[in-house]
Amino acid sequence: MAQSLHIDVKQDDDSASEKADRFDQKVKVERIFLIVNFILELPSAAFDQLSSVHKPQYALLSMLISFTVLIISIVDLLLKGRKERVTWMRRGLMPWFYYPYPNSKPFGTFPDIIGLACAFFQCIFAAISYAFLFKHADSSIKLSVWPIIFALGLLFSRISGDTAQKGPKPLVRRLNRAEEFTLAQLAAATNDFSLQNKIGEGNSYVVFIGKLPDGSEVAVKRRDTGYEFQEEDTFFESEITFLSRLHHKHLIRLVGYCEEEKEMILVYEYLKNGSLHDHLHQRNSAKINSWKMRFKIALDAARGIEYLHNYAVPPIIHRNINSSNILLDANWAARVCDFGMSVLDPESVSNYKPKKAEGTVGYIDPEFYSTNVLTAKSDVYSLGVILLELLTGKTAMFKDEDNGGAITNIADFAVPKILANELAKVLDQRISRPEFDKEAEAVELVAYTALHCVNLQGNNRPNITNIVANLEQASSLCDDHTKDHRHRAALYAVHLLISEILDQPNNYNN
């Protein structure tokens, strides 16, 4: 298993390097176009200045160079249009090339239009100038100054266009499927961010439920107006960067965002059943009071994390896995959310800068906390804490009444008892104890998986692929238990029916 995993990861790395090579090739092609234009634009104007009735060949050279510049500009724009799916639109009297981002704003398009227009007119005027000189006649209008103006305009468009591509703004350039909302749109969707629409909050944000004009419900995560933004605070940008490129059925979907008037708002799909934490510790939801449902939720969450660790290119470490960040949709499928603290796996980043240990108390990997060395096994530790929550029904940090009401870590509470073969003492009392062998086996499997996940040594923890395999087996055992239970119930019903039929003659005789 380990060998096959290693091969899979290596193939992903090769794929990533191939993509990087293709990107570098595209950049080189664009630079070649830029350099060629730089070399050709001004000589075209210079030859036009040197041309005369006695030297029409200079006008011919100017025309040919201008025509070459025009062809290069057209090819450059066509390549850009093919790569970025540029569309042509008009706003008022001004034509624009629109990039396919949902905010419907031209980005870096004005230089494209000016550059193309200048190249076109430079070529036309050079041709007119040559036509006059070919007939051994001076132009009736002063043409020589226009090629210089157009060459400088084209030169400016190339420089400004290149600078715009290097700038860090806007975030929109990195988005593929997220929509940019205005503050007014989100205010209308949430009844002006009213308290009635408030469905959650964190240390620096408040979450509102909203309804878009198309009728779809969304969760609007707005930074708390009283929160002072710090330069090193990159939560907003991290969420957009990661979620705009991550697409998996067990990861939250980013619908859009708003960055306006110092507002930083994220818009997600609305998941009707809220967080796993609420159902376990606040709502006392009967829906998840079965081992089958709890293990299904654990499996869904583990599959989402597996996608981040093994299939995202480059791999991603979530860094804040906890039961509040496991959301449940209308069908009780689990999805991992909150990527504000996520980072690329240090092993895949050459210039990685160590991150200080951050996260939710009770879920933070002790090894990461003490060494500041981050690995994918830190997410594994946090997932292990969630597995213990599902088994015990207790929060990650709780008051242990058996220990004088001391604040106790769930791992410190559960691990010794599991090792002592006293699993029954830690199981959630809201769920009936496993009555059949298969369900008991499933509970024991999940318990020992959790025990290994919260090992203090990261190297001794299982990888996420093995965790998914164990949870799949546990879910399968619960399914088999359910089928056996239904089969026994059916047999019992048949037995009762046969007994009634056999008793009927006696009733007639009586």
Side-chain angles (χ1 to χ4, degrees):
M1 183 180 291
Q3 185 176 2
S4 64
L5 177 62
H6 175 71
I7 293 172
D8 291 341
V9 173
K10 186 174 185 303
Q11 289 174 345
D12 287 343
D13 291 341
D14 292 342
S15 176
S17 62
E18 289 176 3
K19 289 179 180 179
D21 291 340
R22 289 197 296 269
F23 177 76
D24 290 339
Q25 290 174 1
K26 288 179 180 179
V27 171
K28 288 178 182 178
V29 171
E30 291 177 357
R31 287 179 179 173
I32 290 173
F33 280 135
L34 182 65
I35 293 170
V36 170
N37 272 321
F38 268 43
I39 294 174
L40 295 180
E41 286 158 6
L42 292 179
S44 173
F47 281 127
D48 186 79
Q49 291 291 317
L50 294 173
S51 63
S52 64
V53 175
H54 303 291
K55 297 179 179 180
Q57 65 273 20
Y58 287 124
L60 179 60
L61 281 173
S62 176
M63 183 183 70
L64 293 176
I65 293 173
S66 300
F67 181 74
T68 303
V69 170
L70 177 61
I71 294 300
I72 291 174
S73 298
I74 293 173
V75 172
D76 186 21
L77 188 61
L78 289 175
L79 287 176
K80 185 178 293 185
R82 182 180 180 184
K83 181 176 68 176
E84 303 183 26
R85 301 186 302 280
V86 177
T87 57
W88 173 270
M89 294 176 65
R90 288 186 62 180
R91 175 168 291 181
L93 299 176
M94 179 62 70
W96 295 100
F97 294 109
Y98 279 85
Y99 291 85
Y101 300 108
N103 62 333
S104 299
K105 293 179 181 177
F107 177 75
T109 58
F110 189 69
D112 291 332
I113 296 173
I114 293 297
L116 185 63
C118 287
F120 176 76
F121 284 113
Q122 185 178 347
C123 183
I124 293 297
F125 275 73
I128 293 174
S129 178
Y130 176 71
F132 275 105
L133 295 176
F134 183 76
K135 294 181 179 180
H136 303 286
D138 285 327
S139 172
S140 56
I141 56 174
K142 189 63 178 176
L143 298 174
S144 58
V145 68
W146 289 107
I148 295 178
I149 294 173
F150 293 137
L152 291 175
L154 184 52
L155 195 64
F156 167 77
S157 75
R158 295 297 174 188
I159 295 173
S160 61
D162 186 58
T163 303
Q165 289 177 358
K166 293 180 180 179
K169 279 286 194 173
L171 288 170
V172 182
R173 219 183 217 298
R174 294 199 301 271
L175 302 181
N176 294 322
R177 302 183 183 181
E179 180 178 355
E180 183 181 18
F181 292 96
T182 65
L183 184 59
Q185 285 176 317
L186 296 183
T190 59
N191 294 322
D192 201 18
F193 303 102
S194 69
L195 291 177
Q196 287 75 16
N197 287 59
K198 181 179 174 181
I199 57 175
E201 62 182 326
N203 293 331
S204 61
Y205 62 85
V206 181
V207 182
F208 303 88
I209 184 173
K211 181 170 286 189
L212 299 179
D214 63 2
S216 60
E217 289 185 318
V218 291
V220 180
K221 183 177 179 180
R222 184 190 192 192
R223 188 173 294 279
D224 194 339
T225 53
Y227 178 82
E228 292 186 6
F229 178 76
Q230 305 293 328
E231 284 190 13
E232 64 272 15
D233 191 348
T234 59
F235 294 143
F236 179 79
E237 186 169 343
S238 294
E239 288 253 6
I240 294 181
T241 301
F242 288 119
L243 284 180
S244 63
R245 70 181 184 88
L246 296 175
H247 306 286
H248 189 269
K249 64 180 180 179
H250 295 304
L251 301 179
I252 190 77
R253 182 173 66 88
L254 180 69
V255 176
Y257 69 100
C258 172
E259 191 175 11
E260 180 183 327
E261 299 178 8
K262 297 185 179 180
E263 290 277 4
M264 290 183 289
I265 304 174
L266 295 168
V267 183
Y268 306 93
E269 60 177 326
Y270 174 66
L271 300 183
K272 179 181 179 180
N273 283 315
S275 73
L276 173 61
H277 181 276
D278 287 350
H279 284 284
L280 274 177
H281 309 303
Q282 294 179 12
R283 300 185 189 180
N284 192 20
S285 175
K287 183 65 179 179
I288 66 168
N289 281 345
S290 71
W291 296 120
K292 178 180 178 180
M293 178 58 73
R294 291 195 182 187
F295 296 162
K296 175 190 177 298
I297 291 171
L299 177 58
D300 289 349
R303 283 172 171 164
I305 298 170
E306 182 186 32
Y307 174 80
L308 298 177
H309 289 187
N310 293 351
Y311 301 105
V313 179
I316 294 168
I317 300 177
H318 188 281
R319 283 214 306 163
N320 196 22
I321 297 293
N322 61 67
S323 57
S324 294
N325 288 337
I326 306 297
L327 301 182
L328 306 170
D329 67 13
N331 297 317
W332 298 93
R335 304 194 192 188
V336 179
C337 71
D338 196 349
F339 288 76
M341 295 174 60
S342 301
V343 296
L344 298 178
D345 191 329
E347 294 182 2
S348 66
V349 180
S350 58
N351 59 343
Y352 173 76
K353 296 180 181 179
K355 301 285 186 180
K356 66 178 181 179
E358 291 181 308
T360 305
V361 176
Y363 299 89
I364 302 175
D365 172 15
E367 187 175 62
F368 175 39
Y369 185 81
S370 60
T371 64
N372 268 7
V373 177
L374 179 66
T375 68
K377 296 297 182 70
S378 295
D379 282 351
V380 168
Y381 180 91
S382 303
L383 179 59
V385 175
I386 292 177
L387 294 181
L388 292 178
E389 282 186 82
L390 289 167
L391 288 167
T392 67
K394 298 185 182 297
T395 57
M397 303 292 293
F398 67 97
K399 286 185 179 181
D400 188 358
E401 301 300 336
D402 296 335
N403 193 21
I407 302 299
T408 303
N409 182 297
I410 193 173
D412 295 337
F413 164 77
V415 168
K417 291 180 174 61
I418 297 173
L419 289 174
N421 236 359
E422 297 177 343
L423 177 58
K425 290 184 178 181
V426 302
L427 293 181
D428 192 344
Q429 300 300 312
R430 293 172 294 182
I431 305 180
S432 59
R433 291 188 179 185
E435 298 178 0
F436 302 101
D437 291 341
K438 289 186 177 180
E439 189 176 52
E441 184 182 347
V443 172
E444 187 174 346
L445 177 59
V446 173
Y448 278 96
T449 301
L451 182 144
H452 288 291
C453 287
V454 297
N455 193 299
L456 295 178
Q457 301 296 323
N459 290 334
N460 294 330
R461 297 171 197 155
N463 60 42
I464 190 64
T465 302
N466 291 332
I467 297 170
V468 169
N470 284 355
L471 293 174
E472 285 176 344
Q473 184 179 351
S475 295
S476 177
L477 287 169
C478 286
D479 286 340
D480 290 343
H481 157 70
T482 302
K483 291 176 183 177
D484 288 347
H485 182 71
R486 289 174 180 172
H487 179 65
R488 292 181 184 184
L491 288 177
Y492 181 69
V494 170
H495 174 73
L496 289 178
L497 182 61
I498 293 174
S499 298
E500 289 180 3
I501 293 173
L502 292 176
D503 288 342
Q504 283 181 1
N506 296 329
N507 292 334
Y508 288 133
N509 293 330
N510 292 335

